[in-house]
C-alpha cells in the first residue's frame, strides 16, 4: 500500500491515526512537529502527508511549502 507520514504535536492523535492507517495496510511514520517531519521527508518522500497546521518548532504549512 502507501507510505504515509503523519505530523502532529498531540501524541494521542498520532497514535490513533497510525493504528488506523496501519490496520488498513499502510506503512506509517510519525513526527511531533514539522522539523522532525522534515528529517523523515529528506530520507524518503511519502505517498501521502497528513499534517496538523499549528505545531511548535515548525508549522504544517511551512513544512508543506518547503
Amino acid at each position: 500500500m502507501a507510505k504515509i507520514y503523519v505530523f502532529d504535536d498531540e501524541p494521542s492523535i498520532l497514535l490513533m491515526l497510525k493504528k488506523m492507517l496501519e490496520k488498513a495496510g499502510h506503512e506509517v511514520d510519525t513526527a511531533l512537529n514539522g522539523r522532525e517531519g522534515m528529517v523523515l521527508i529528506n530520507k524518503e518522500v511519502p505517498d501521502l502527508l497528513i499534517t496538523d497546521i499549528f505545531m511548535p518548532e515548525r508549522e504544517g504549512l511551512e513544512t508543506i511549502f518547503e
Side-chain angles (χ1 to χ4, degrees), residues 11-65:
S12 60
I13 292 180
L14 283 180
L15 182 61
M16 176 194 62
L17 288 171
K18 181 175 175 68
K19 285 183 177 182
M20 213 170 60
L21 293 166
E22 286 178 340
K23 187 174 182 180
H26 302 289
E27 183 182 343
V28 181
D29 283 319
T30 63
L32 289 169
N33 59 58
R35 186 180 340 178
E36 289 180 14
M38 286 307 296
V39 172
L40 293 174
I41 289 172
N42 287 330
K43 290 181 183 177
E44 180 180 1
V45 176
D47 297 306
L48 175 67
L49 169 61
I50 300 170
T51 185
D52 186 5
I53 298 300
F54 302 108
M55 295 181 289
E57 298 189 46
R58 184 184 186 111
E59 293 189 351
L61 290 176
E62 288 178 272
T63 304
I64 291 169
F65 290 123

